[in-house]
Amino acid sequence: MAEATEGTGGTEGTGGEPGHAWHAIDASAVLARLGSRRTGLTGDEALARLARHGRNELAAPPGRSLLSRLWAQFDNLLVQVLLVAGVITAAMGHATDAAVIFGVVVINAAIGFIQEGKAERALEAVRAMLADEATVLRDGERRTIPAAELVPGDLVLLASGDRVAADLRLVQARSLRIDEAALTGESVPVDKGEPEVAEDCVLAERTSIAYSGTTVTFGHASGVVVATGVATELGRIGGLVASVQSLSTPLTRKLDQLARRLTLFILAGAVLTFLFGRYVYGFEAAEIFLAMVGLAVSAIPEGLPAVVTITLAIGTQRMAHRSAIVRRLPAVETLGSVTVICTDKTGTLTRNEMTVVRVALPRCTIEVAGTGYAPEGGFSVDGAAVAPAGNESLLQFARCARLCNDARLWLENGVWRLEGDPTEGALLSFATKAGIDAAPSGADLGRVDEIPFESEHSFMATLHRDRDGNALVYLKGAPERILELCADQGEGEAVDPGHWQERIDAMARDGLRVLGLARATLPDAASGLRLQDVDRRFTLLGMAGMIDPPRGEAIEAIEHCRAAGIAVKMITGDHAVTAAAIGARLGLRASEPLTGPEIDRCSDEALARRLAETDIVARASPEHKLRLVAALQARGGIVSMTGDGVNDAPALKAADIGVAMGCKGTDAAKEAADVVLADDNFATIGTAVREGRTIYDNIKKSLLFILPTNGGEAGVILLAVFLGLALPVTAVQILWVNMVTTVTLAVALAFEPAEAGVMSRPPRPPAQPIITRLLLARVLYVTVLLTAMTFWLFNHELARGLSLEAARTSAVNMLVIGELVYLFNCRRFTAHSLGRDTVYGNPVAFWAAIALVALQLAFTYLAPMQQLFGTRPMDPTSWGLVLALSAMKYLAVEAEKAVLRRLGVVSL
């Protein structure tokens, strides 16, 4: 484990932790405090510091052993009740029945065991972001060393394309730009330099620091290491990921609650049954104990964990077909219960592709259509289309955008790719839209010389020669600097700096990044381009306003989320003005954005009020995102966090469900998330929410089916004991009923399509139990019907003179066929189930019903089954009674649903 600093005055690092604010200290002073120099450390100094501070790497977390992870899968009350039931069943000598129960438990545990380890994988992904090697000065010589051997005080050399290996205080920089999008959310590379900045500035504004894990996109520099390993900003985020406790999902919480209640109810009922039979009717202890075991076996929904797991797994497959990859099964259902989606801006709501959307020419302002790097889109002035070929000012502007440019765009597999700076990519795409070809031709014969962009002069200039030998200089840079270098704006008209500044300010208020473009002619004798050639001789061509535009589908998706009662909050590390502009385009409340510094000043109550007033949070650090998620959860919300950067990883893990971008997302974000969007499309979240709601509905339908059928079986036994009569079904017969109906009927409900209007309903209240009052009423209603009909049929068969075994066979078939018809009742919560769609709308349910009928015929008529389960063949009268009673039960449930519809109830 590495500390952050060398020398006196503290051992913490950057990133706002206690200790030195290296970004606010002069570079020479930093070198002095670290005991270093511009020629770097000596080899002996580096070895001593490596021994003292440790290697520059993130420590692996102490992971749980395989045994402890496996044991954790059985730390569930319902599973423990199943294990007890299995042990009792085995003790009774029913090995096959016990094997069924144990098999369900083992399958459930295996799936949970495989899905474990998300935190460990997230930390491994953060560690993978560290550079493998670094170029340093040691003993005054340039050396390449393993990045893990960097120590505080080392002088590191950076060049374009390098990944920064530790937190560096820049000592010298030339035209340095660093891509920090994954760390801060900035949509464009940041200009960096050695001058110190204010001590209290936010992370994204610390331009004198190069952070570990970021990438140099342009220029070169040298910097002294001020933080290594866990003390770097990247290491601090890894620490946040490790410290965040994984939350249980709404489904797991509610199933745990259901398991506790069922356990208490079953145990109380079993004890009451034993006491009543033993002391009221005087049954033998062994006899009544067997009845008590039969009651427990009938009441325990041993198939519930398997049905829930299968339902979630099927939902996972359906979501994968819709580009949403689920990494943890319960997350499927959680998506359907979210009340708030907190989403990153860059790369999630936006394309992470800068686009020129407005051009301010001397005599007009042109709006530019299209998004991203694809050179598709037109031009308009005040809503009227403009043809580039007929507008010489626009063509001159586009030619400058094309020629004063080092980027390259190309089409690959239908996607436009960029090599170079995103700002230059936007200008290149714009020029192509205007018809300026990428290859120089005609009057444009290519570049002769250039002056690269540097922060000292804030512009880039390129020299070109036309076919007549005339030397042309094209210029682009900061708008204020370009205005200083322009003498006119064409046709001898002088530049009005005040007027242009108003136009620049207007674009900035709209969140646009503004660049100025200009051109000039040099004397024919000029053979090269010198810095002194760039003086007040240029003609102003105009200003380009560009932005990382919102995805068109994201706007529609946000509308759909609102219609479904889901709030959307945009959380970004970008500037407040830019964030507000994007938020307004997305239709979010953006007039008063919340900022990171404001969050630091807010109490929890004040933060909750501000979150209720705005949908935009800007300049947010990883700690801010964690606090925002916690604040929303504290108000009872089910929070989804969407993001793609390393800075999103802690919040992704802390949220009830984390959603990462699959294409442009970092590995750290993907590993911390529960769901990964393969198409990086925010709109896919809306589809996933719909699927999540459908899955939750299907799990409730499974409960709606399993609980009353188990209740009916238990009710028959209870009624027989309390009346002092023979049991209508035996324990082994009940296990058969539970096994075949779970394998066939209950699983079929996992394949149910979405009910009509599923996305028109508001999110269910987070505190709502999985067994609502209406659902419980249906369970009790069907339990009474099934118990009464089965008990009546059993005693009717005995009254007809049939043997106890034959009467029990009729009772078992009454239970099974009654459950079969009830399956089709359950396909809709309150909508009627009387049409053709009821039978054929879910093919799995149809074929499951056919399979169940075949199994019951085998159960009734095959000799081995008769011997195993104690059954006898049924005569036509018995079958007629079973079918008639089942039809009556089906119509009785449909009548109850009709009453609910008249009361306006659409879901249970």
Side-chain angles (χ1 to χ4, degrees):
M1 182 185 300
E3 293 182 3
T5 67
E6 176 67 27
T8 60
T11 58
E12 298 295 333
T14 57
E17 297 291 339
H20 291 306
W22 298 112
H23 56 279
I25 303 174
D26 178 75
S28 297
V30 172
L31 287 168
R33 292 193 185 189
L34 291 173
S36 186
R37 59 200 71 84
R38 293 180 185 269
T39 56
L41 301 173
T42 66
D44 291 340
E45 287 174 330
L47 285 174
R49 296 186 186 197
L50 183 63
R52 183 159 62 254
H53 297 294
R55 293 170 65 83
N56 176 37
E57 54 192 13
L58 302 184
R64 290 188 300 169
S65 67
L66 292 178
L67 186 61
S68 63
R69 283 176 54 196
L70 182 61
W71 175 253
Q73 307 309 314
F74 299 95
D75 188 19
N76 176 285
L77 191 56
L78 183 58
V79 170
Q80 291 162 0
V81 171
L82 289 175
L83 287 173
V84 172
V87 170
I88 294 174
T89 306
M92 293 173 61
H94 300 295
T96 302
D97 310 322
V100 172
I101 297 175
F102 290 136
V104 168
V105 173
V106 169
I107 291 172
N108 192 61
I111 292 173
F113 179 78
I114 292 170
Q115 295 295 330
E116 282 288 337
K118 181 174 71 169
E120 290 84 351
R121 290 193 298 270
L123 286 172
E124 289 170 4
V126 172
R127 288 195 294 273
M129 290 194 63
L130 295 172
D132 295 327
E133 294 182 333
T135 303
V136 300
L137 289 180
R138 290 269 177 93
D139 296 310
E141 297 180 356
R142 184 187 183 102
R143 297 180 186 176
T144 299
I145 65 170
E149 295 180 6
L150 283 176
V151 295
D154 256 328
L155 201 73
V156 178
L157 305 179
L158 298 176
S160 181
D162 287 349
R163 177 168 283 181
V164 183
D167 284 359
L168 310 178
R169 172 60 170 90
L170 296 174
V171 174
Q172 185 177 9
R174 182 177 178 83
S175 306
L176 183 66
R177 293 180 188 169
I178 294 182
D179 183 359
E180 295 183 335
L183 193 65
T184 66
E186 285 281 0
S187 54
V188 295
V190 180
D191 293 327
K192 295 282 188 174
E194 62 270 19
E196 62 269 24
V197 295
E199 182 173 348
D200 60 351
C201 66
V202 297
L203 182 73
E205 295 173 358
R206 296 174 188 174
T207 55
S208 58
I209 301 288
Y211 288 105
S212 177
T214 60
T215 304
V216 178
T217 62
F218 191 80
H220 52 86
S222 62
V224 60
V225 175
V226 295
T228 58
V230 295
T232 63
E233 185 67 23
L234 187 66
R236 192 175 60 81
I237 293 175
L240 288 176
V241 174
S243 67
V244 173
Q245 297 296 318
S246 296
L247 297 177
S248 61
T249 68
L251 178 65
T252 56
R253 290 196 295 267
K254 290 170 183 175
L255 286 178
D256 287 344
Q257 183 183 55
L258 174 64
R260 287 192 296 270
R261 292 179 177 177
L262 278 177
T263 301
L264 292 174
F265 182 78
I266 292 168
L267 292 178
V271 171
L272 182 63
T273 301
F274 180 85
L275 293 175
F276 193 90
R278 182 76 178 89
Y279 296 107
V280 174
Y281 286 108
F283 290 146
E284 293 293 331
E287 181 184 3
I288 192 62
F289 181 77
L290 287 177
M292 185 181 74
V293 170
L295 173 64
V297 168
S298 65
I300 293 173
E302 65 269 18
L304 180 59
V307 169
V308 170
T309 299
I310 291 169
T311 303
L312 293 173
I314 292 168
T316 295
Q317 292 179 340
R318 290 200 297 223
M319 289 178 68
H321 292 315
R322 293 167 172 82
S323 300
I325 301 168
V326 177
R327 299 185 62 255
R328 197 162 58 95
L329 279 183
V332 181
E333 174 275 330
T334 312
L335 265 173
S337 63
V338 295
T339 58
V340 183
I341 297 176
C342 295
T343 174
D344 183 39
K345 175 182 74 69
T346 305
T348 307
L349 291 174
T350 66
R351 301 176 61 91
N352 200 15
E353 297 178 356
M354 294 297 288
T355 305
V356 175
V357 295
R358 189 180 306 167
V359 173
L361 299 177
R363 291 171 180 79
C364 67
T365 298
I366 296 180
E367 302 295 329
V368 186
T371 58
Y373 297 135
E376 302 166 356
F379 305 87
S380 63
V381 176
D382 297 329
V386 173
N391 191 316
E392 184 59 27
S393 296
L394 178 59
L395 289 176
Q396 287 285 357
F397 186 92
R399 186 171 288 110
C400 179
R402 169 66 194 92
L403 295 176
C404 190
N405 200 311
D406 289 326
R408 184 171 75 92
L409 287 175
W410 73 97
L411 187 64
E412 181 181 290
N413 298 325
V415 178
W416 284 91
R417 307 291 185 185
L418 168 69
E419 179 182 296
D421 187 89
T423 299
E424 293 196 326
L427 291 171
L428 189 57
S429 174
F430 161 78
T432 308
K433 292 177 186 177
I436 304 299
D437 195 275
S441 61
D444 303 325
L445 298 180
R447 185 181 301 180
V448 176
D449 201 359
E450 67 179 271
I451 298 176
F453 179 90
E454 291 189 15
S455 56
E456 289 81 1
H457 50 249
S458 299
F459 64 75
M460 172 184 177
T462 57
L463 174 64
H464 305 262
R465 286 188 180 275
D466 62 19
R467 60 179 51 177
D468 297 326
N470 298 315
L472 302 174
V473 180
Y474 288 102
L475 186 71
K476 78 166 185 286
E480 294 81 5
R481 181 62 173 144
I482 298 302
L483 286 175
E484 293 174 1
L485 296 172
C486 289
D488 66 85
Q489 57 186 31
E491 300 180 3
E493 184 178 350
V495 174
D496 181 352
H499 171 71
W500 278 101
Q501 192 60 51
E502 290 178 1
R503 300 178 75 180
I504 293 168
D505 291 344
M507 285 195 281
R509 284 194 297 272
D510 288 339
L512 304 184
R513 178 184 174 91
V514 185
L515 281 181
L517 280 71
R519 59 165 284 175
T521 302
L522 286 184
D524 293 344
S527 59
L529 186 61
R530 301 164 300 173
L531 194 59
Q532 54 264 40
D533 291 329
V534 183
D535 55 16
R536 190 174 170 80
R537 70 170 76 200
F538 284 82
T539 298
L540 180 62
L541 298 176
M543 301 288 169
M546 59 191 73
I547 199 168
D548 181 13
R551 297 171 179 265
E553 61 271 22
I555 298 173
E556 183 178 356
I558 288 175
E559 291 178 356
H560 289 165
C561 287
R562 282 180 168 173
I566 302 170
V568 178
K569 306 287 183 184
M570 187 179 83
I571 305 175
T572 177
D574 220 335
H575 291 279
V577 173
T578 304
I582 292 293
R585 291 178 179 224
L586 289 164
L588 300 174
R589 295 176 298 168
S591 59
E592 297 180 358
L594 177 65
T595 63
E598 186 180 353
I599 294 173
D600 291 331
R601 297 190 299 268
C602 279
S603 65
D604 291 343
E605 295 76 13
L607 180 59
R609 287 195 299 271
R610 287 289 283 121
L611 284 173
E613 297 168 356
T614 184
D615 294 331
I616 309 298
V617 182
R619 280 303 195 224
S621 68
E623 290 92 345
H624 293 146
K625 294 181 180 184
L626 278 175
R627 190 177 173 201
L628 291 167
V629 169
L632 292 167
Q633 289 172 333
R635 299 175 65 192
I638 302 297
V639 181
S640 169
M641 176 69 192
T642 304
D644 62 353
V646 179
N647 58 327
D648 297 319
L652 286 171
K653 190 180 172 206
D656 295 279
I657 181 162
V659 181
M661 302 295 110
C663 296
K664 295 183 179 178
T666 60
D667 287 344
K670 290 182 225 177
E671 292 295 338
D674 303 287
V675 176
V676 178
L677 303 185
D679 58 0
D680 281 15
N681 191 340
F682 181 83
T684 303
I685 296 177
T687 303
V689 168
R690 175 186 175 88
E691 191 63 46
R693 291 187 174 189
T694 301
I695 289 166
Y696 188 77
D697 280 355
N698 290 349
I699 290 173
K700 288 186 70 173
K701 288 175 183 177
S702 296
L703 287 171
L704 192 62
F705 174 80
I706 291 173
L707 293 182
T709 54
N710 282 54
E713 298 161 15
V716 168
I717 293 176
L718 277 174
L719 194 58
V721 170
F722 278 87
L723 293 178
L725 303 176
L727 295 181
V729 289
T730 65
V732 69
Q733 289 172 342
I734 286 174
L735 274 173
W736 163 263
V737 173
N738 287 354
M739 183 177 68
V740 296
T741 55
T742 296
V743 170
T744 56
L745 304 185
V747 171
L749 290 171
F751 294 87
E752 279 296 310
E755 294 220 3
V758 68
M759 287 299 285
S760 299
R761 309 194 304 241
R764 61 184 179 274
Q768 183 186 79
I770 195 168
I771 306 294
T772 63
R773 290 182 178 180
L774 286 173
L775 192 145
L776 179 61
R778 171 77 59 81
V779 168
L780 295 175
Y781 178 59
V782 175
T783 297
V784 170
L785 287 176
L786 193 58
T787 299
M789 292 180 174
T790 304
F791 197 78
W792 179 88
L793 179 62
F794 171 72
N795 286 284
H796 182 271
E797 296 291 76
L798 290 177
R800 285 205 303 134
L802 299 184
S803 66
L804 178 62
E805 290 77 9
R808 282 175 170 168
T809 303
S810 295
V812 169
N813 278 288
M814 178 65 235
L815 285 171
V816 172
I817 302 304
E819 293 177 20
L820 171 61
V821 298
Y822 179 55
L823 169 74
F824 293 100
N825 291 129
C826 288
R827 289 200 58 220
R828 299 289 181 267
F829 285 121
T830 59
H832 72 79
S833 301
L834 299 173
R836 176 183 173 85
D837 178 69
T838 301
V839 178
Y840 300 107
N842 181 348
V844 177
F846 174 78
W847 290 109
I850 298 297
L852 182 60
V853 170
L855 286 171
Q856 279 308 114
L857 291 175
F859 172 85
T860 305
Y861 293 107
L862 289 184
M865 302 291 278
Q866 291 175 348
Q867 184 176 1
L868 181 62
F869 293 102
T871 59
R872 296 293 182 269
M874 288 174 58
D875 58 28
T877 301
S878 296
W879 279 117
L881 289 170
V882 166
L883 294 176
L885 289 171
S886 297
M888 291 171 57
K889 175 177 169 292
Y890 183 82
L891 293 175
V893 175
E894 287 301 307
E896 182 254 1
K897 289 163 71 174
V899 172
L900 291 178
R901 287 197 301 274
R902 290 182 64 87
L903 296 174
V905 178
V906 296
S907 178
L908 302 180

